[in-house]
Amino acid sequence: MTKSKAVFRFIFSLFGKVLKFLFRLMGKCTWLIHRKKRYFIPFYAFTGYVLLVVLVIWFSGDPDFEKTLPDKRLNDITQLNPIQVAKEIRPHSINDIVEAIRSTSGPISIGGGRFSMGGQTGYENSLHLDMRAFNGVLHLDKEKKQVTVQSGIIWRDLQNVIDKENLSVKIMQTYANFTVGGSISVNCHGRYIGHGPIISSVLALKIVTASGDVITASRTENEEVFKATVGGYGGIGVIAEATLQLVDNVKVERQTKLVDVADYNEFFQNNIRKDTSIIFQNGDLYPPDFDVINNVSWKTTHKELTDTTRVTPEGINYWIEPKLVEIASWGDFGKWARRMFVDPAFYNKEKVVWRNKEASYDVAELEPASREEYTYVLQEYFIPVNNIQSFIPKMKAVYDKYDVNVINVSLRHAYPDKESYLSWADEEVFAFVIYYKQGTDVESRANVKRWTIEMTDAILSENGKWYLPYQPHATIKQFAQGFPNSVKYFEVKNRMDSMQRFNNKLLDKYNPYLTGQIEKEREDIKGYFRDEEQTVLTVPEWYLVFNPKEYADFLEAGNNPSDFPFLASIDEYWKLYDRSLILVSEAYPKNNEYHTMLQVIGVSITMEYAAKMIYENTIGKLFSWFAGNSISEKEQTIIDAQRAYSDFIYHTAWYEFEFLPWIGKVWKASSTRDASWLRKWERTLFFTFEYVFKAGYAQLIEWAAEASYEEPVTNIYLMVSTEENMAISDEIKVINEQGSKKLIGITRWGAFTNTILDLCEKEITIHEIGGNDEIVVSILMDKSQQLNFKNIEPLYESKVVTSDHLMRLVCILPVNELLPFIRHAGRNSIEVEHVFDY
């Protein structure tokens, strides 16, 4: 088995160079055969061999295999934060939510529109509640201007209902694609003058707790729960229903004015802050100079509408808006063009619309054609109103230092929020909404983290805060300084959810009640988290261990080596390759490096087996006619070598096998046995050629492994619960213990399967393996047997090429069912062949 990516890269490079050389050689030798006829036969023999290999690969495999694993990945609008959950459900009623919570005991994550940008809606191996199907309007009181809704409803759907009564949402984001529950969870705000966060318009909540109880929270009932839930990022419970205060829908007219940054506070105080006719207001602070603000206000009016649309409909084809955003991301020229030409042209026209129209923008107008190489991201800073002139130079200095591609900065005013425990507005603030472009590669993401931490220091230096729905790069110390009332929040969370079941990437980082838990140690262990798709992708790789074992079994049973089904073995490898790739094609990101590695070893084994097949069915078959009833000591030693090799590669990288000593053993083997002289020496010479070639190739690979600075990960790590003593084997290392929970490491490869088989009779519950909740196993069973285990899913059958009555069944199952299944298999005469350890 291979050990490091550096070795893989070396193999890919070497193999590519060899193929390139061979094909060039074939081309250049064409003229040679016309001049030197003695090269004719070798040249075309080699050409025929290459064509045979190509044809065998072409016609092998199972490209028509259709089964795919379900996609359990969550991601957000940035596409930067894929998270693999254990199960995702879409509740349609409160009872669905209660049943989901009570039927599980693990972590729970909650998602709505998934517009947060730092993993706030997901957690690995959690039960994920996708709330978007829980989206009804339950009660509308037109007299009190109040509405009660299910939390999964998006603002636009609510607007379509209340607009008919000429009512409007009091506070929400600019865009209407967010869910109500998600907006409350982040304590959102908008461009509404005279207001602060959404909490001021929330009258009451219905919440499902970690125990499955349904409670009401408001300013008069369960007040602490109310203050922790609004802006609590799903950590207290599931917001099931919300009662909101509404206002009248009115016509609004747009007005704009350019204001120097130095004059903005005075301008805002005199013209905006106390003007009750202004509904919406924001100021666009132009990058890269950040010296001028384009103030945009929307005032109530009785003028004729310039656009009669009442609520922005879905499905509009926004083609120019994303282009304009792209132009603004072209560096300083794009930003200059926007400031000098695009915005003046856009704001030059008179615009009078309904409030609901202006409050129902669609995020589709910002969506780029692709987020594969670059993505658009938000950050938001809340700076006390009197500190913006001193903060802006600090902000600009950080952006200039790290060459941040800031597209827009929108300034929005907010009054204080003294209620929410994670309030971002302890005093009157201006919100700096930063829209920027970043690369998706590892270095770009690391750079964003660096400048965000530095920016957070600048924010704190002005007694400001930052918004938590975005990438959680701020340090724990910075978080504690910026949100001192988080202590009260986490106290309420711990009281309501002592097992910390409601979790996500944001809470997982900052929750002090998780700091001492054994789960936090996982993050400091190199190689703890393994890519889950590799438990599927390693099946064809491990076939190159299973098949040599079949070959050794075949020889030990006294069979003629020429009768071994080499062609069927090649076909089986490519079948496993096709099936594995198709299985993971929709559920996981493409693992290009592993795919390439499988292709390289597939071509290698095809070339080796094709050569053996040709030889064994010609020369080998001919010399087998001279074989007697017994085999020589040399032939027996060759069989022993094949067995030693098959046993060795089950635990260790194949290139570490000592091929050359076995050649010596074969040549030194006694020749006294009554066996065919011709057959003995034919086998000896063929074996010698094979092992000399493998020894040379193995040495090249080993040199590459030694040259690699990457230390291979030799353990697979498990989180288990047990009262048993786990220090029972040299293959098991206990990393930490906390009560009945243990973090253990088990030696990888073959030792892992053997150790798991040894553990199956112990009282152990496996919570995760390599950070994953599913794992693939292969079993060997008679074709007449039935697999009757409810929590296992057969993926496909694999042929045992040397047996007509046995079959290999490749299955996937939850890791917590692995040991129970092994016990079941033992009771039913089913052999667990291998547990694929990622």
Side-chain angles (χ1 to χ4, degrees), residues 153-327:
I153 192 171
I154 65 171
W155 290 111
R156 177 179 287 103
D157 290 344
L158 174 58
Q159 288 169 331
N160 285 329
V161 173
I162 63 177
D163 182 76
K164 297 172 184 176
E165 307 299 333
N166 214 31
L167 295 173
S168 186
V169 175
K170 184 177 180 181
I171 301 171
M172 58 175 282
Q173 301 97 324
T174 300
Y175 293 89
N177 308 81
F178 306 92
T179 62
V180 170
S183 299
I184 294 172
S185 290
V186 303
N187 199 15
C188 79
H189 69 104
R191 298 169 293 147
Y192 299 90
I193 287 299
H195 301 291
I198 195 176
I199 190 170
S200 65
S201 68
V202 179
L203 303 177
L205 300 172
K206 188 171 285 187
I207 300 166
V208 184
T209 68
S211 60
D213 296 326
V214 181
I215 65 172
T216 300
S218 67
R219 291 171 178 82
T220 58
E221 184 178 2
N222 293 312
E223 182 182 8
E224 283 192 324
V225 176
F226 178 81
K227 292 179 176 180
T229 301
V230 181
Y233 296 88
I236 307 301
V238 182
I239 299 175
E241 297 175 7
T243 301
L244 306 173
Q245 184 65 54
L246 305 176
V247 294
D248 291 325
N249 187 27
V250 294
K251 290 189 290 184
V252 291
E253 176 187 12
R254 184 176 67 194
Q255 298 178 348
T256 64
K257 182 178 178 60
L258 290 175
V259 184
D260 289 340
V261 165
D263 302 326
Y264 191 70
N265 279 81
E266 182 181 358
F267 169 82
F268 186 87
Q269 184 71 22
N270 295 335
N271 299 279
I272 306 295
R273 191 176 187 275
K274 298 178 181 179
D275 190 342
T276 57
S277 68
I278 297 177
I279 305 298
F280 306 102
Q281 184 272 340
N282 71 284
D284 289 328
L285 175 61
Y286 287 113
D289 297 324
F290 304 106
D291 56 346
V292 174
I293 297 172
N294 181 31
N295 183 79
V296 182
S297 302
W298 294 83
K299 303 181 66 171
T300 57
T301 184
H302 296 290
K303 293 182 179 181
E304 291 294 321
L305 295 166
T306 60
D307 182 350
T308 58
T309 306
R310 296 188 65 89
V311 177
T312 304
E314 292 182 279
I316 295 176
N317 181 20
Y318 296 98
W319 65 273
I320 191 169
E321 288 85 350
K323 298 292 184 186
L324 295 175
V325 173
E326 185 179 355
I327 290 172

Side-chain angles (χ1 to χ4, degrees), residues 69-72 84-87 125 530-536 587-588 766-777 791-793 795 811-818 835-838:
L69 294 173
D71 188 353
K72 297 185 296 180
Q84 187 88 11
V85 299
K87 184 179 181 181
N125 302 326
R530 310 286 298 178
D531 292 333
E532 190 174 77
E533 73 271 15
Q534 290 195 183
T535 191
V536 178
Y588 302 94
I766 300 176
H767 299 295
E768 62 182 32
I769 302 176
N772 300 304
D773 65 334
E774 288 186 310
I775 198 164
V776 168
V777 299
N791 293 316
I792 194 168
E793 180 184 359
L795 299 177
C811 309
I812 192 168
L813 74 166
V815 296
N816 60 2
E817 295 289 345
L818 178 58
V835 182
F836 296 89
D837 62 357
Y838 317 98

Side-chain angles (χ1 to χ4, degrees), residues 54-65:
V54 172
L55 288 172
V56 168
I57 295 175
W58 183 268
F59 288 104
S60 295
D62 189 8
D64 296 327
F65 185 74

